[in-house]
């Protein structure tokens, strides 16, 4: 059965939350910084990690 819009939105929200926590743990950036990156980049892990590491160096 295909997921409906509500299920898809809930899944995407959960994935974003996971990525935020992951970035915070892996790179030491703040929650606000992690959320900004996820909002700008999306949920691609390699892109998020690259940008978070660059952000942390500043």
């Amino acid at each position: 059965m295909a997921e409906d819009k509500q299920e898809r939105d809930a899944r995407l929200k959960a994935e974003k939350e996971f990525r935020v926590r992951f970035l915070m743990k892996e790179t030491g950036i703040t929650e606000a910084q992690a959320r900004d990156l996820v909002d700008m980049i999306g949920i691609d892990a390699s892109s998020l990690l690259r940008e978070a590491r660059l952000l942390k160096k500043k």
Side-chain angles (χ1 to χ4, degrees), residues 23 37 41-53:
L23 289 173
L37 285 177
I41 296 171
I43 58 174
D44 180 65
S46 60
S47 296
L48 287 168
L49 277 172
R50 181 184 64 240
E51 295 301 322
R53 288 177 179 141

Side-chain angles (χ1 to χ4, degrees), residues 2-23:
E3 64 183 358
D4 62 20
K5 182 179 179 348
Q6 186 176 7
E7 291 170 333
R8 187 176 57 250
D9 290 347
R11 183 179 49 78
L12 185 57
K13 183 178 179 181
E15 180 71 22
K16 285 182 177 182
E17 285 299 315
F18 173 80
R19 294 294 183 204
V20 167
R21 300 291 172 216
F22 173 76
L23 289 173

